[in-house]
Amino acid sequence: MLYDSIGVGYATARRTDPRWMSAILAALEEAGTVLDVGAGAGSYEPADRVVYAVEPSGEMVGQRGADAAPVVRAVAEALPVRDCAVDAALAVLTVHHWSDWRRGIAELRRVAPRRVVLAYDTRLHAEFWFVREYVPQIAELELSRPSAPDIAAELGADSMIPLPLPWDFTDGVFPAYWRRPEAYLTVRDTCSALAQAPREAVERGLARLRSDVADGTWREKHAELLELDEYDAGFRLIVSG
């Protein structure tokens, strides 16, 4: 199980950002009961409605807070609930980890009339400056994953809403530090893209980044990013039903 090995400390590094939380709540609309699939530590579980969680990793389940929703260890491809059991199914940055993502999407459609999925356009992740300039081996991994447009098509989405990353984003998703490059020197173990890339390639890339940050090369090369308040890294909120 991937997150049994890379999920240590996840609840600290991957803190809920209220701006994304607001978008998710709006997408859930009036759903009174929600099934959070691939729930992890429970970062984006609504506090104002009944939530049930499904998470396969014991490490991640162990990091859920005392006030988190009840959780069952299971996989998205075989959800242990009956048809139309909840008003909405929620899946936040998890589909790209599923072993059979199309089967998992079919399960979301089975268990809830409304589906809200947060995913990302893998092409934009593969073109991110960190990948392009420092660890290009990550691009192959990203492009092998299901992309937001593919997920939207499989889900029969009604809308696909862009979720840009503010420069001070609090959830440490892979491109979160697009304007804060020094952060990448310390977050490798809680970022799946870095954790799954060849270790030697990551070490070489981080050494170059450390040098470029120290001597001002990164700032000079990416001066235009420092003028932006938010950045589109390809995250999309996909809504169906």
Side-chain angles (χ1 to χ4, degrees), residues 93-129:
L93 296 179
T94 178
V95 175
H96 58 282
H97 290 307
W98 297 352
S99 61
D100 185 343
W101 69 271
R102 288 185 174 86
R103 183 176 175 185
I105 293 296
E107 281 288 86
L108 297 187
R109 295 172 65 99
R110 178 182 68 81
V111 302
R114 188 168 187 82
R115 285 80 56 176
V116 176
V117 176
L118 177 52
Y120 61 89
D121 188 321
T122 56
R123 293 178 300 105
L124 292 182
H125 268 46
E127 295 166 4
F128 180 48
W129 63 257

PDB file of all heavy atoms in Angstrom, residues 93-129:
ATOM      1  N   LEU A  93      -8.202  14.247  -4.835  1.00  0.00           N
ATOM      2  CA  LEU A  93      -6.823  13.923  -5.201  1.00  0.00           C
ATOM      3  C   LEU A  93      -6.467  12.482  -4.859  1.00  0.00           C
ATOM      4  O   LEU A  93      -5.468  12.196  -4.198  1.00  0.00           O
ATOM      5  CB  LEU A  93      -5.854  14.901  -4.527  1.00  0.00           C
ATOM      6  CG  LEU A  93      -6.013  16.362  -4.977  1.00  0.00           C
ATOM      7  CD1 LEU A  93      -5.026  17.257  -4.227  1.00  0.00           C
ATOM      8  CD2 LEU A  93      -5.836  16.514  -6.476  1.00  0.00           C
ATOM      9  N   THR A  94      -7.286  11.581  -5.343  1.00  0.00           N
ATOM     10  CA  THR A  94      -7.089  10.163  -5.052  1.00  0.00           C
ATOM     11  C   THR A  94      -7.210   9.280  -6.282  1.00  0.00           C
ATOM     12  O   THR A  94      -6.598   8.212  -6.337  1.00  0.00           O
ATOM     13  CB  THR A  94      -8.100   9.703  -3.977  1.00  0.00           C
ATOM     14  OG1 THR A  94      -7.943   8.304  -3.738  1.00  0.00           O
ATOM     15  CG2 THR A  94      -9.540   9.961  -4.396  1.00  0.00           C
ATOM     16  N   VAL A  95      -7.963   9.710  -7.295  1.00  0.00           N
ATOM     17  CA  VAL A  95      -8.233   8.841  -8.446  1.00  0.00           C
ATOM     18  C   VAL A  95      -6.938   8.384  -9.116  1.00  0.00           C
ATOM     19  O   VAL A  95      -6.831   7.241  -9.579  1.00  0.00           O
ATOM     20  CB  VAL A  95      -9.152   9.556  -9.466  1.00  0.00           C
ATOM     21  CG1 VAL A  95      -9.332   8.694 -10.721  1.00  0.00           C
ATOM     22  CG2 VAL A  95     -10.505   9.869  -8.846  1.00  0.00           C
ATOM     23  N   HIS A  96      -5.931   9.238  -9.175  1.00  0.00           N
ATOM     24  CA  HIS A  96      -4.681   8.886  -9.854  1.00  0.00           C
ATOM     25  C   HIS A  96      -3.906   7.789  -9.114  1.00  0.00           C
ATOM     26  O   HIS A  96      -2.949   7.241  -9.666  1.00  0.00           O
ATOM     27  CB  HIS A  96      -3.798  10.112 -10.056  1.00  0.00           C
ATOM     28  CG  HIS A  96      -3.431  10.838  -8.802  1.00  0.00           C
ATOM     29  ND1 HIS A  96      -4.304  11.674  -8.157  1.00  0.00           N
ATOM     30  CD2 HIS A  96      -2.284  10.861  -8.075  1.00  0.00           C
ATOM     31  CE1 HIS A  96      -3.704  12.185  -7.086  1.00  0.00           C
ATOM     32  NE2 HIS A  96      -2.483  11.702  -7.008  1.00  0.00           N
ATOM     33  N   HIS A  97      -4.332   7.454  -7.899  1.00  0.00           N
ATOM     34  CA  HIS A  97      -3.687   6.365  -7.161  1.00  0.00           C
ATOM     35  C   HIS A  97      -4.454   5.041  -7.267  1.00  0.00           C
ATOM     36  O   HIS A  97      -3.952   4.013  -6.808  1.00  0.00           O
ATOM     37  CB  HIS A  97      -3.552   6.735  -5.686  1.00  0.00           C
ATOM     38  CG  HIS A  97      -2.561   7.820  -5.417  1.00  0.00           C
ATOM     39  ND1 HIS A  97      -1.256   7.772  -5.861  1.00  0.00           N
ATOM     40  CD2 HIS A  97      -2.689   9.006  -4.747  1.00  0.00           C
ATOM     41  CE1 HIS A  97      -0.616   8.860  -5.467  1.00  0.00           C
ATOM     42  NE2 HIS A  97      -1.470   9.630  -4.800  1.00  0.00           N
ATOM     43  N   TRP A  98      -5.641   5.053  -7.833  1.00  0.00           N
ATOM     44  CA  TRP A  98      -6.441   3.836  -7.892  1.00  0.00           C
ATOM     45  C   TRP A  98      -5.869   2.850  -8.906  1.00  0.00           C
ATOM     46  O   TRP A  98      -5.418   3.245  -9.989  1.00  0.00           O
ATOM     47  CB  TRP A  98      -7.892   4.172  -8.260  1.00  0.00           C
ATOM     48  CG  TRP A  98      -8.584   5.041  -7.250  1.00  0.00           C
ATOM     49  CD1 TRP A  98      -8.116   5.409  -6.016  1.00  0.00           C
ATOM     50  CD2 TRP A  98      -9.859   5.674  -7.396  1.00  0.00           C
ATOM     51  NE1 TRP A  98      -9.023   6.217  -5.377  1.00  0.00           N
ATOM     52  CE2 TRP A  98     -10.111   6.408  -6.193  1.00  0.00           C
ATOM     53  CE3 TRP A  98     -10.816   5.684  -8.411  1.00  0.00           C
ATOM     54  CZ2 TRP A  98     -11.272   7.134  -6.007  1.00  0.00           C
ATOM     55  CZ3 TRP A  98     -11.983   6.419  -8.219  1.00  0.00           C
ATOM     56  CH2 TRP A  98     -12.209   7.130  -7.025  1.00  0.00           C
ATOM     57  N   SER A  99      -5.909   1.562  -8.577  1.00  0.00           N
ATOM     58  CA  SER A  99      -5.349   0.543  -9.474  1.00  0.00           C
ATOM     59  C   SER A  99      -6.184   0.384 -10.735  1.00  0.00           C
ATOM     60  O   SER A  99      -5.656   0.058 -11.806  1.00  0.00           O
ATOM     61  CB  SER A  99      -5.230  -0.802  -8.740  1.00  0.00           C
ATOM     62  OG  SER A  99      -6.518  -1.247  -8.310  1.00  0.00           O
ATOM     63  N   ASP A 100      -7.484   0.582 -10.643  1.00  0.00           N
ATOM     64  CA  ASP A 100      -8.392   0.530 -11.799  1.00  0.00           C
ATOM     65  C   ASP A 100      -9.331   1.733 -11.674  1.00  0.00           C
ATOM     66  O   ASP A 100     -10.416   1.635 -11.110  1.00  0.00           O
ATOM     67  CB  ASP A 100      -9.176  -0.786 -11.804  1.00  0.00           C
ATOM     68  CG  ASP A 100     -10.054  -0.954 -13.039  1.00  0.00           C
ATOM     69  OD1 ASP A 100     -10.327   0.055 -13.731  1.00  0.00           O
ATOM     70  OD2 ASP A 100     -10.494  -2.090 -13.294  1.00  0.00           O
ATOM     71  N   TRP A 101      -8.886   2.873 -12.188  1.00  0.00           N
ATOM     72  CA  TRP A 101      -9.615   4.106 -11.921  1.00  0.00           C
ATOM     73  C   TRP A 101     -10.997   4.121 -12.568  1.00  0.00           C
ATOM     74  O   TRP A 101     -11.938   4.684 -12.011  1.00  0.00           O
ATOM     75  CB  TRP A 101      -8.799   5.324 -12.334  1.00  0.00           C
ATOM     76  CG  TRP A 101      -8.585   5.519 -13.811  1.00  0.00           C
ATOM     77  CD1 TRP A 101      -7.568   5.011 -14.562  1.00  0.00           C
ATOM     78  CD2 TRP A 101      -9.396   6.295 -14.689  1.00  0.00           C
ATOM     79  NE1 TRP A 101      -7.694   5.418 -15.868  1.00  0.00           N
ATOM     80  CE2 TRP A 101      -8.805   6.213 -15.980  1.00  0.00           C
ATOM     81  CE3 TRP A 101     -10.554   7.045 -14.531  1.00  0.00           C
ATOM     82  CZ2 TRP A 101      -9.346   6.860 -17.092  1.00  0.00           C
ATOM     83  CZ3 TRP A 101     -11.095   7.697 -15.640  1.00  0.00           C
ATOM     84  CH2 TRP A 101     -10.497   7.599 -16.895  1.00  0.00           C
ATOM     85  N   ARG A 102     -11.154   3.474 -13.718  1.00  0.00           N
ATOM     86  CA  ARG A 102     -12.477   3.443 -14.355  1.00  0.00           C
ATOM     87  C   ARG A 102     -13.474   2.637 -13.512  1.00  0.00           C
ATOM     88  O   ARG A 102     -14.639   3.020 -13.386  1.00  0.00           O
ATOM     89  CB  ARG A 102     -12.370   2.877 -15.768  1.00  0.00           C
ATOM     90  CG  ARG A 102     -11.695   3.823 -16.753  1.00  0.00           C
ATOM     91  CD  ARG A 102     -11.714   3.283 -18.164  1.00  0.00           C
ATOM     92  NE  ARG A 102     -11.196   4.255 -19.108  1.00  0.00           N
ATOM     93  CZ  ARG A 102      -9.902   4.414 -19.396  1.00  0.00           C
ATOM     94  NH1 ARG A 102      -8.985   3.644 -18.786  1.00  0.00           N
ATOM     95  NH2 ARG A 102      -9.517   5.339 -20.253  1.00  0.00           N
ATOM     96  N   ARG A 103     -13.001   1.564 -12.926  1.00  0.00           N
ATOM     97  CA  ARG A 103     -13.870   0.792 -12.039  1.00  0.00           C
ATOM     98  C   ARG A 103     -14.239   1.615 -10.810  1.00  0.00           C
ATOM     99  O   ARG A 103     -15.390   1.574 -10.336  1.00  0.00           O
ATOM    100  CB  ARG A 103     -13.175  -0.504 -11.623  1.00  0.00           C
ATOM    101  CG  ARG A 103     -14.035  -1.418 -10.762  1.00  0.00           C
ATOM    102  CD  ARG A 103     -13.306  -2.711 -10.482  1.00  0.00           C
ATOM    103  NE  ARG A 103     -14.056  -3.553  -9.555  1.00  0.00           N
ATOM    104  CZ  ARG A 103     -13.612  -4.693  -9.056  1.00  0.00           C
ATOM    105  NH1 ARG A 103     -12.412  -5.149  -9.423  1.00  0.00           N
ATOM    106  NH2 ARG A 103     -14.335  -5.392  -8.217  1.00  0.00           N
ATOM    107  N   GLY A 104     -13.283   2.379 -10.299  1.00  0.00           N
ATOM    108  CA  GLY A 104     -13.568   3.235  -9.161  1.00  0.00           C
ATOM    109  C   GLY A 104     -14.587   4.311  -9.499  1.00  0.00           C
ATOM    110  O   GLY A 104     -15.486   4.608  -8.696  1.00  0.00           O
ATOM    111  N   ILE A 105     -14.480   4.897 -10.683  1.00  0.00           N
ATOM    112  CA  ILE A 105     -15.462   5.899 -11.110  1.00  0.00           C
ATOM    113  C   ILE A 105     -16.848   5.267 -11.219  1.00  0.00           C
ATOM    114  O   ILE A 105     -17.859   5.863 -10.822  1.00  0.00           O
ATOM    115  CB  ILE A 105     -15.048   6.517 -12.458  1.00  0.00           C
ATOM    116  CG1 ILE A 105     -13.775   7.355 -12.296  1.00  0.00           C
ATOM    117  CG2 ILE A 105     -16.178   7.355 -13.042  1.00  0.00           C
ATOM    118  CD1 ILE A 105     -13.930   8.556 -11.396  1.00  0.00           C
ATOM    119  N   ALA A 106     -16.908   4.043 -11.740  1.00  0.00           N
ATOM    120  CA  ALA A 106     -18.193   3.339 -11.826  1.00  0.00           C
ATOM    121  C   ALA A 106     -18.789   3.139 -10.440  1.00  0.00           C
ATOM    122  O   ALA A 106     -20.013   3.229 -10.248  1.00  0.00           O
ATOM    123  CB  ALA A 106     -18.020   2.003 -12.525  1.00  0.00           C
ATOM    124  N   GLU A 107     -17.943   2.888  -9.444  1.00  0.00           N
ATOM    125  CA  GLU A 107     -18.415   2.730  -8.074  1.00  0.00           C
ATOM    126  C   GLU A 107     -18.969   4.051  -7.528  1.00  0.00           C
ATOM    127  O   GLU A 107     -19.987   4.061  -6.829  1.00  0.00           O
ATOM    128  CB  GLU A 107     -17.286   2.215  -7.181  1.00  0.00           C
ATOM    129  CG  GLU A 107     -17.014   0.728  -7.299  1.00  0.00           C
ATOM    130  CD  GLU A 107     -18.145  -0.076  -6.655  1.00  0.00           C
ATOM    131  OE1 GLU A 107     -19.146  -0.337  -7.354  1.00  0.00           O
ATOM    132  OE2 GLU A 107     -18.041  -0.405  -5.463  1.00  0.00           O
ATOM    133  N   LEU A 108     -18.312   5.156  -7.832  1.00  0.00           N
ATOM    134  CA  LEU A 108     -18.839   6.451  -7.400  1.00  0.00           C
ATOM    135  C   LEU A 108     -20.234   6.682  -7.979  1.00  0.00           C
ATOM    136  O   LEU A 108     -21.139   7.156  -7.285  1.00  0.00           O
ATOM    137  CB  LEU A 108     -17.915   7.594  -7.843  1.00  0.00           C
ATOM    138  CG  LEU A 108     -16.489   7.638  -7.302  1.00  0.00           C
ATOM    139  CD1 LEU A 108     -15.817   8.942  -7.734  1.00  0.00           C
ATOM    140  CD2 LEU A 108     -16.451   7.501  -5.789  1.00  0.00           C
ATOM    141  N   ARG A 109     -20.401   6.344  -9.232  1.00  0.00           N
ATOM    142  CA  ARG A 109     -21.700   6.515  -9.884  1.00  0.00           C
ATOM    143  C   ARG A 109     -22.754   5.601  -9.260  1.00  0.00           C
ATOM    144  O   ARG A 109     -23.925   5.955  -9.183  1.00  0.00           O
ATOM    145  CB  ARG A 109     -21.565   6.233 -11.379  1.00  0.00           C
ATOM    146  CG  ARG A 109     -20.676   7.225 -12.123  1.00  0.00           C
ATOM    147  CD  ARG A 109     -20.420   6.780 -13.570  1.00  0.00           C
ATOM    148  NE  ARG A 109     -21.664   6.800 -14.326  1.00  0.00           N
ATOM    149  CZ  ARG A 109     -22.034   7.791 -15.138  1.00  0.00           C
ATOM    150  NH1 ARG A 109     -21.258   8.851 -15.288  1.00  0.00           N
ATOM    151  NH2 ARG A 109     -23.160   7.742 -15.797  1.00  0.00           N
ATOM    152  N   ARG A 110     -22.304   4.422  -8.808  1.00  0.00           N
ATOM    153  CA  ARG A 110     -23.235   3.450  -8.226  1.00  0.00           C
ATOM    154  C   ARG A 110     -23.765   3.909  -6.877  1.00  0.00           C
ATOM    155  O   ARG A 110     -24.951   3.752  -6.576  1.00  0.00           O
ATOM    156  CB  ARG A 110     -22.543   2.088  -8.077  1.00  0.00           C
ATOM    157  CG  ARG A 110     -23.431   1.017  -7.440  1.00  0.00           C
ATOM    158  CD  ARG A 110     -22.689  -0.303  -7.280  1.00  0.00           C
ATOM    159  NE  ARG A 110     -21.626  -0.231  -6.289  1.00  0.00           N
ATOM    160  CZ  ARG A 110     -21.805  -0.320  -4.969  1.00  0.00           C
ATOM    161  NH1 ARG A 110     -23.030  -0.453  -4.463  1.00  0.00           N
ATOM    162  NH2 ARG A 110     -20.770  -0.274  -4.146  1.00  0.00           N
ATOM    163  N   VAL A 111     -22.898   4.484  -6.051  1.00  0.00           N
ATOM    164  CA  VAL A 111     -23.275   4.709  -4.653  1.00  0.00           C
ATOM    165  C   VAL A 111     -23.913   6.068  -4.395  1.00  0.00           C
ATOM    166  O   VAL A 111     -24.485   6.284  -3.323  1.00  0.00           O
ATOM    167  CB  VAL A 111     -22.055   4.548  -3.727  1.00  0.00           C
ATOM    168  CG1 VAL A 111     -21.444   3.158  -3.878  1.00  0.00           C
ATOM    169  CG2 VAL A 111     -21.015   5.630  -3.944  1.00  0.00           C
ATOM    170  N   ALA A 112     -23.830   6.999  -5.351  1.00  0.00           N
ATOM    171  CA  ALA A 112     -24.342   8.346  -5.087  1.00  0.00           C
ATOM    172  C   ALA A 112     -24.855   9.006  -6.357  1.00  0.00           C
ATOM    173  O   ALA A 112     -24.240   8.873  -7.415  1.00  0.00           O
ATOM    174  CB  ALA A 112     -23.245   9.209  -4.466  1.00  0.00           C
ATOM    175  N   PRO A 113     -25.946   9.749  -6.270  1.00  0.00           N
ATOM    176  CA  PRO A 113     -26.454  10.458  -7.437  1.00  0.00           C
ATOM    177  C   PRO A 113     -25.625  11.689  -7.804  1.00  0.00           C
ATOM    178  O   PRO A 113     -25.703  12.180  -8.937  1.00  0.00           O
ATOM    179  CB  PRO A 113     -27.878  10.858  -7.021  1.00  0.00           C
ATOM    180  CG  PRO A 113     -27.823  10.921  -5.531  1.00  0.00           C
ATOM    181  CD  PRO A 113     -26.857   9.853  -5.118  1.00  0.00           C
ATOM    182  N   ARG A 114     -24.841  12.193  -6.843  1.00  0.00           N
ATOM    183  CA  ARG A 114     -23.970  13.338  -7.122  1.00  0.00           C
ATOM    184  C   ARG A 114     -22.536  12.938  -6.820  1.00  0.00           C
ATOM    185  O   ARG A 114     -22.249  12.311  -5.785  1.00  0.00           O
ATOM    186  CB  ARG A 114     -24.370  14.549  -6.283  1.00  0.00           C
ATOM    187  CG  ARG A 114     -23.612  15.843  -6.665  1.00  0.00           C
ATOM    188  CD  ARG A 114     -24.238  17.059  -6.017  1.00  0.00           C
ATOM    189  NE  ARG A 114     -23.639  18.312  -6.481  1.00  0.00           N
ATOM    190  CZ  ARG A 114     -23.962  18.926  -7.614  1.00  0.00           C
ATOM    191  NH1 ARG A 114     -24.898  18.409  -8.401  1.00  0.00           N
ATOM    192  NH2 ARG A 114     -23.382  20.060  -7.966  1.00  0.00           N
ATOM    193  N   ARG A 115     -21.628  13.309  -7.714  1.00  0.00           N
ATOM    194  CA  ARG A 115     -20.224  12.950  -7.537  1.00  0.00           C
ATOM    195  C   ARG A 115     -19.370  14.205  -7.674  1.00  0.00           C
ATOM    196  O   ARG A 115     -19.531  14.975  -8.640  1.00  0.00           O
ATOM    197  CB  ARG A 115     -19.786  11.925  -8.586  1.00  0.00           C
ATOM    198  CG  ARG A 115     -20.281  10.507  -8.343  1.00  0.00           C
ATOM    199  CD  ARG A 115     -21.703  10.256  -8.755  1.00  0.00           C
ATOM    200  NE  ARG A 115     -21.963  10.575 -10.147  1.00  0.00           N
ATOM    201  CZ  ARG A 115     -23.107  10.369 -10.773  1.00  0.00           C
ATOM    202  NH1 ARG A 115     -24.137   9.840 -10.121  1.00  0.00           N
ATOM    203  NH2 ARG A 115     -23.278  10.708 -12.035  1.00  0.00           N
ATOM    204  N   VAL A 116     -18.466  14.403  -6.733  1.00  0.00           N
ATOM    205  CA  VAL A 116     -17.552  15.544  -6.750  1.00  0.00           C
ATOM    206  C   VAL A 116     -16.133  14.991  -6.647  1.00  0.00           C
ATOM    207  O   VAL A 116     -15.778  14.351  -5.652  1.00  0.00           O
ATOM    208  CB  VAL A 116     -17.839  16.511  -5.588  1.00  0.00           C
ATOM    209  CG1 VAL A 116     -16.815  17.638  -5.562  1.00  0.00           C
ATOM    210  CG2 VAL A 116     -19.259  17.069  -5.699  1.00  0.00           C
ATOM    211  N   VAL A 117     -15.346  15.217  -7.685  1.00  0.00           N
ATOM    212  CA  VAL A 117     -13.996  14.661  -7.759  1.00  0.00           C
ATOM    213  C   VAL A 117     -12.995  15.790  -7.987  1.00  0.00           C
ATOM    214  O   VAL A 117     -13.138  16.570  -8.934  1.00  0.00           O
ATOM    215  CB  VAL A 117     -13.889  13.633  -8.901  1.00  0.00           C
ATOM    216  CG1 VAL A 117     -12.452  13.130  -9.032  1.00  0.00           C
ATOM    217  CG2 VAL A 117     -14.849  12.467  -8.660  1.00  0.00           C
ATOM    218  N   LEU A 118     -11.993  15.870  -7.137  1.00  0.00           N
ATOM    219  CA  LEU A 118     -10.899  16.818  -7.347  1.00  0.00           C
ATOM    220  C   LEU A 118      -9.732  16.048  -7.958  1.00  0.00           C
ATOM    221  O   LEU A 118      -9.204  15.112  -7.363  1.00  0.00           O
ATOM    222  CB  LEU A 118     -10.492  17.468  -6.022  1.00  0.00           C
ATOM    223  CG  LEU A 118      -9.307  18.437  -6.066  1.00  0.00           C
ATOM    224  CD1 LEU A 118      -9.480  19.498  -7.138  1.00  0.00           C
ATOM    225  CD2 LEU A 118      -9.112  19.086  -4.707  1.00  0.00           C
ATOM    226  N   ALA A 119      -9.380  16.440  -9.174  1.00  0.00           N
ATOM    227  CA  ALA A 119      -8.287  15.784  -9.893  1.00  0.00           C
ATOM    228  C   ALA A 119      -7.446  16.874 -10.555  1.00  0.00           C
ATOM    229  O   ALA A 119      -7.625  18.061 -10.290  1.00  0.00           O
ATOM    230  CB  ALA A 119      -8.846  14.809 -10.928  1.00  0.00           C
ATOM    231  N   TYR A 120      -6.520  16.474 -11.423  1.00  0.00           N
ATOM    232  CA  TYR A 120      -5.698  17.484 -12.084  1.00  0.00           C
ATOM    233  C   TYR A 120      -5.352  17.061 -13.503  1.00  0.00           C
ATOM    234  O   TYR A 120      -5.385  15.880 -13.856  1.00  0.00           O
ATOM    235  CB  TYR A 120      -4.416  17.771 -11.283  1.00  0.00           C
ATOM    236  CG  TYR A 120      -3.496  16.588 -11.092  1.00  0.00           C
ATOM    237  CD1 TYR A 120      -2.506  16.281 -12.020  1.00  0.00           C
ATOM    238  CD2 TYR A 120      -3.592  15.782  -9.956  1.00  0.00           C
ATOM    239  CE1 TYR A 120      -1.646  15.219 -11.828  1.00  0.00           C
ATOM    240  CE2 TYR A 120      -2.738  14.714  -9.756  1.00  0.00           C
ATOM    241  CZ  TYR A 120      -1.763  14.439 -10.701  1.00  0.00           C
ATOM    242  OH  TYR A 120      -0.917  13.374 -10.513  1.00  0.00           O
ATOM    243  N   ASP A 121      -5.051  18.064 -14.313  1.00  0.00           N
ATOM    244  CA  ASP A 121      -4.617  17.837 -15.689  1.00  0.00           C
ATOM    245  C   ASP A 121      -3.155  17.421 -15.650  1.00  0.00           C
ATOM    246  O   ASP A 121      -2.276  18.215 -15.304  1.00  0.00           O
ATOM    247  CB  ASP A 121      -4.794  19.131 -16.497  1.00  0.00           C
ATOM    248  CG  ASP A 121      -4.544  18.938 -17.983  1.00  0.00           C
ATOM    249  OD1 ASP A 121      -3.614  18.177 -18.340  1.00  0.00           O
ATOM    250  OD2 ASP A 121      -5.262  19.549 -18.788  1.00  0.00           O
ATOM    251  N   THR A 122      -2.881  16.185 -15.970  1.00  0.00           N
ATOM    252  CA  THR A 122      -1.521  15.660 -15.824  1.00  0.00           C
ATOM    253  C   THR A 122      -0.534  16.351 -16.767  1.00  0.00           C
ATOM    254  O   THR A 122       0.660  16.427 -16.473  1.00  0.00           O
ATOM    255  CB  THR A 122      -1.497  14.149 -16.086  1.00  0.00           C
ATOM    256  OG1 THR A 122      -2.034  13.874 -17.386  1.00  0.00           O
ATOM    257  CG2 THR A 122      -2.334  13.407 -15.038  1.00  0.00           C
ATOM    258  N   ARG A 123      -1.015  16.873 -17.893  1.00  0.00           N
ATOM    259  CA  ARG A 123      -0.106  17.577 -18.810  1.00  0.00           C
ATOM    260  C   ARG A 123       0.479  18.821 -18.144  1.00  0.00           C
ATOM    261  O   ARG A 123       1.666  19.124 -18.307  1.00  0.00           O
ATOM    262  CB  ARG A 123      -0.849  17.983 -20.090  1.00  0.00           C
ATOM    263  CG  ARG A 123      -1.285  16.811 -20.965  1.00  0.00           C
ATOM    264  CD  ARG A 123      -2.056  17.294 -22.175  1.00  0.00           C
ATOM    265  NE  ARG A 123      -3.253  18.034 -21.783  1.00  0.00           N
ATOM    266  CZ  ARG A 123      -3.379  19.357 -21.853  1.00  0.00           C
ATOM    267  NH1 ARG A 123      -2.379  20.101 -22.286  1.00  0.00           N
ATOM    268  NH2 ARG A 123      -4.514  19.942 -21.497  1.00  0.00           N
ATOM    269  N   LEU A 124      -0.355  19.539 -17.412  1.00  0.00           N
ATOM    270  CA  LEU A 124       0.138  20.747 -16.751  1.00  0.00           C
ATOM    271  C   LEU A 124       1.100  20.408 -15.615  1.00  0.00           C
ATOM    272  O   LEU A 124       2.071  21.135 -15.372  1.00  0.00           O
ATOM    273  CB  LEU A 124      -1.039  21.578 -16.236  1.00  0.00           C
ATOM    274  CG  LEU A 124      -1.916  22.209 -17.316  1.00  0.00           C
ATOM    275  CD1 LEU A 124      -3.021  23.063 -16.696  1.00  0.00           C
ATOM    276  CD2 LEU A 124      -1.087  23.055 -18.276  1.00  0.00           C
ATOM    277  N   HIS A 125       0.846  19.310 -14.914  1.00  0.00           N
ATOM    278  CA  HIS A 125       1.803  18.882 -13.891  1.00  0.00           C
ATOM    279  C   HIS A 125       3.143  18.512 -14.530  1.00  0.00           C
ATOM    280  O   HIS A 125       4.201  18.831 -13.992  1.00  0.00           O
ATOM    281  CB  HIS A 125       1.251  17.678 -13.125  1.00  0.00           C
ATOM    282  CG  HIS A 125       0.490  18.050 -11.893  1.00  0.00           C
ATOM    283  ND1 HIS A 125      -0.452  19.051 -11.863  1.00  0.00           N
ATOM    284  CD2 HIS A 125       0.511  17.547 -10.630  1.00  0.00           C
ATOM    285  CE1 HIS A 125      -0.963  19.150 -10.651  1.00  0.00           C
ATOM    286  NE2 HIS A 125      -0.390  18.250  -9.877  1.00  0.00           N
ATOM    287  N   ALA A 126       3.085  17.833 -15.661  1.00  0.00           N
ATOM    288  CA  ALA A 126       4.313  17.404 -16.334  1.00  0.00           C
ATOM    289  C   ALA A 126       5.121  18.588 -16.857  1.00  0.00           C
ATOM    290  O   ALA A 126       6.344  18.481 -17.040  1.00  0.00           O
ATOM    291  CB  ALA A 126       3.978  16.457 -17.482  1.00  0.00           C
ATOM    292  N   GLU A 127       4.451  19.719 -17.084  1.00  0.00           N
ATOM    293  CA  GLU A 127       5.130  20.915 -17.597  1.00  0.00           C
ATOM    294  C   GLU A 127       5.533  21.885 -16.493  1.00  0.00           C
ATOM    295  O   GLU A 127       6.124  22.934 -16.765  1.00  0.00           O
ATOM    296  CB  GLU A 127       4.199  21.633 -18.587  1.00  0.00           C
ATOM    297  CG  GLU A 127       3.905  20.821 -19.835  1.00  0.00           C
ATOM    298  CD  GLU A 127       2.733  21.383 -20.630  1.00  0.00           C
ATOM    299  OE1 GLU A 127       2.206  22.445 -20.231  1.00  0.00           O
ATOM    300  OE2 GLU A 127       2.356  20.759 -21.632  1.00  0.00           O
ATOM    301  N   PHE A 128       5.221  21.563 -15.253  1.00  0.00           N
ATOM    302  CA  PHE A 128       5.546  22.430 -14.118  1.00  0.00           C
ATOM    303  C   PHE A 128       7.053  22.669 -14.062  1.00  0.00           C
ATOM    304  O   PHE A 128       7.855  21.768 -14.339  1.00  0.00           O
ATOM    305  CB  PHE A 128       5.034  21.757 -12.844  1.00  0.00           C
ATOM    306  CG  PHE A 128       5.292  22.507 -11.577  1.00  0.00           C
ATOM    307  CD1 PHE A 128       5.004  23.858 -11.479  1.00  0.00           C
ATOM    308  CD2 PHE A 128       5.805  21.845 -10.470  1.00  0.00           C
ATOM    309  CE1 PHE A 128       5.228  24.548 -10.290  1.00  0.00           C
ATOM    310  CE2 PHE A 128       6.027  22.527  -9.282  1.00  0.00           C
ATOM    311  CZ  PHE A 128       5.747  23.884  -9.198  1.00  0.00           C
ATOM    312  N   TRP A 129       7.459  23.861 -13.666  1.00  0.00           N
ATOM    313  CA  TRP A 129       8.882  24.213 -13.722  1.00  0.00           C
ATOM    314  C   TRP A 129       9.770  23.254 -12.931  1.00  0.00           C
ATOM    315  O   TRP A 129      10.895  22.951 -13.350  1.00  0.00           O
ATOM    316  CB  TRP A 129       9.116  25.659 -13.262  1.00  0.00           C
ATOM    317  CG  TRP A 129       8.764  25.986 -11.834  1.00  0.00           C
ATOM    318  CD1 TRP A 129       7.662  26.641 -11.395  1.00  0.00           C
ATOM    319  CD2 TRP A 129       9.538  25.677 -10.657  1.00  0.00           C
ATOM    320  NE1 TRP A 129       7.678  26.759 -10.022  1.00  0.00           N
ATOM    321  CE2 TRP A 129       8.817  26.194  -9.543  1.00  0.00           C
ATOM    322  CE3 TRP A 129      10.749  25.036 -10.437  1.00  0.00           C
ATOM    323  CZ2 TRP A 129       9.281  26.071  -8.232  1.00  0.00           C
ATOM    324  CZ3 TRP A 129      11.206  24.901  -9.135  1.00  0.00           C
ATOM    325  CH2 TRP A 129      10.476  25.411  -8.056  1.00  0.00           C
TER     326      TRP A 129
END
